[in-house]
Amino acid sequence: MLLRVLLFVGALSVLGLLGWFWASWPGALLGVLAGAVLTFVIDSLRGVRFIRWTQARDTTTPPLLGGLWGDAAYRVSRALRAEQQQVRESEERLQEFLAAIQASPIGVMLLDPEGRIEWCNDIAAAHFGLDAERDLRQHVGHLVRDPGFTTYYASGEYDSELRLSGRQDAPGHPVKLSVQLHPYGSGRMLMLSRDVTALAQADAMRRDFVANVSHEIRTPLTVLAGFVETLQTLPLTEPERQNYLALMAAQSLRMQTLVDDLLTLSRLEGSPLPSGAEAVDLGALLAQCETEARGLSNLLHPPEAQPQRLHFGPPPDFALAGSAKELRSALSNLVNNAVRYTPGGGGIEVACQRLPDGRVRLLVTDTGPGVAPEHLPRLGERFYRVDRSRSRESGGTGLGLAITKHVVQRHGGELQMSSQLGKGSTFALVFPAQRVRPALTPAVSA
Ligand code: ADP
């Protein structure tokens, strides 16, 4: 600054001196005046250029101005560049932040103090059937029309979440959402939504399961209580007493079988998947199931009446990696079902095959009553039975196929079922080729 003042004073002095040489004092005065006017004009022109530049779109490159104006233009443009860089960085951070919210599996919606949508991610848009662009600035109450939500929104009490049906909710295709509002800032709100369909379904399944178990246990328990009361109150003959005790034993056995099956299921759910280290001797497995099946068949259809024809195929020349205990329970459930549901005189065939693609199939075919096509997809659900009374009469719990399905899935395989009403059924356990192992010596049994 001092330098500029000195330069200005120096220039005026030089012009004054030149004027003095030219025309003494009046000349000196004229020289100084001319210098001052010239400086003023140059400065004004620079000022005009500076103002024009500040009005231009691009203020990042300063104009070539000398003097104070040039200095000012340089400083202004530097400050503007720094500010623009800051804005760019903030914008980038905002975009990254929004991208992170977009990637979140939770629906996020920002509402202004009037309840209008300021922004929402794609998940929230899908949950409520919105268009993330078109519906901006719309009031959320106009777009989310569930009466439960209207009441929740109006209540101002947002401590707990609200459950409501999603936009795509339809019979047979339920979509359940959990929604919660979180006030923030000055009257704004964050609305979070989660798809809880699977959770709601698991809840419903758990409730059904508990209801089913209670029902299954209550029936034999009621019968037992009735018999106990009879034994306590009525004077019975010895044969009558024996008869009642036998009936009671049958009911206790039914409860015991049910509890055993429940425990098997819960153990299957809670234990680690069977490793590939243990190889199961399939020949021994078939032999065990055969002994069991023949015993049950003789009991249900004594040889003197109409015996069943049971045929077990030859032992395979390979073993299967998995849990011997689980595989035995899976196969024996299928074989026992075939024996229990096939009438006397019918035939049951059990075989182990190697499929062309290397997979292993344990097959149980019977000439029993078969299952109508509408029931087939539901077999394997807990407590699902085609004929309840028939299942119970033959000692069924309604859990056999559920256990079998679980076991085969734990081994990476699948339970296949095919049936023709009145003709018979085929149930098969199919295991992946990776589970095949070389045959074991007969001494090592399952
Ligand atoms: P349950 O203990 O009732 O036999 P499962 O889970 O083993 O329970 O079987 C479910 C239902 O599938 C049975 O109630 C029965 O209706 C049907 N089912 C199973 N196996 C056969 C079969 N071999 N032939 C006809 N129906 C069968």
Side-chain angles (χ1 to χ4, degrees), residues 249-264 333 394-397 399 403:
Q251 295 303 324
S252 333
L253 184 69
R254 191 173 143 191
M255 281 200 289
Q256 200 178 334
T257 320
L258 177 68
V259 172
D260 284 348
D261 277 0
L262 285 171
L263 283 175
T264 307
N333 274 336
S394 60
T397 59
L399 292 173
I403 293 174

Side-chain angles (χ1 to χ4, degrees), residues 366-431:
D366 65 56
T367 60
V371 178
E374 66 268 24
H375 292 294
L376 267 183
R378 296 203 59 187
L379 291 191
E381 281 179 27
R382 291 162 190 201
F383 297 112
Y384 189 83
R385 292 143 158 148
V386 179
D387 183 342
R388 262 177 192 277
S389 56
R390 189 147 171 204
S391 155
R392 290 217 183 92
E393 271 165 28
S394 60
T397 59
L399 292 173
L401 285 182
I403 293 174
T404 302
K405 197 170 164 183
H406 216 95
V407 166
V408 73
Q409 283 174 347
R410 280 165 58 79
H411 284 77
E414 57 171 329
L415 171 64
Q416 293 177 345
M417 304 178 256
S418 62
S419 187
Q420 252 189 306
L421 202 57
K423 296 234 164 107
S425 318
T426 298
F427 289 82
L429 307 174
V430 182
F431 297 97

Side-chain angles (χ1 to χ4, degrees), residues 6 10 13 33 46 75 94 142 165 170 186 201 205 211 239 276 278 297 304 339 371 384 394 434:
L6 287 177
S13 309
L33 201 67
R46 281 175 178 165
R75 280 161 202 266
L94 178 69
H142 297 156
S165 299
S186 46
Q201 276 171 344
M205 270 170 67
E278 186 191 352
S297 180
E304 57 278 13
V339 172
V371 178
Y384 189 83
S394 60
Q434 298 91 297

Side-chain angles (χ1 to χ4, degrees), residues 131-200:
D131 183 319
E133 303 268 306
R134 191 195 59 209
D135 293 328
L136 288 189
R137 314 301 309 159
Q138 297 284 327
H139 195 283
V140 67
H142 297 156
L143 300 171
V144 184
R145 294 188 157 272
D146 187 291
F149 179 77
T150 312
T151 317
Y152 176 73
Y153 184 81
S155 72
E157 300 279 325
Y158 309 130
D159 290 343
S160 55
E161 57 178 38
L162 169 76
R163 288 271 171 114
L164 50 91
S165 299
R167 189 64 170 237
Q168 295 106 338
D169 185 71
H173 182 264
V175 179
K176 300 289 167 223
L177 297 178
S178 152
V179 175
Q180 190 162 13
L181 285 165
H182 302 270
Y184 74 98
S186 46
R188 290 173 190 279
M189 277 197 279
L190 174 71
M191 182 160 131
L192 299 181
S193 54
R194 274 182 311 131
D195 188 328
V196 290
T197 312
L199 218 68

Side-chain angles (χ1 to χ4, degrees), residues 4 8 11 15 34-50 64-70:
R4 286 182 199 285
F8 178 65
L15 284 171
V37 169
L38 194 68
T39 312
F40 174 74
V41 170
I42 290 173
D43 226 36
S44 299
L45 284 176
R46 281 175 178 165
V48 169
R49 278 186 68 197
F50 176 81
L64 281 171
L65 304 170
L68 279 175
W69 289 112

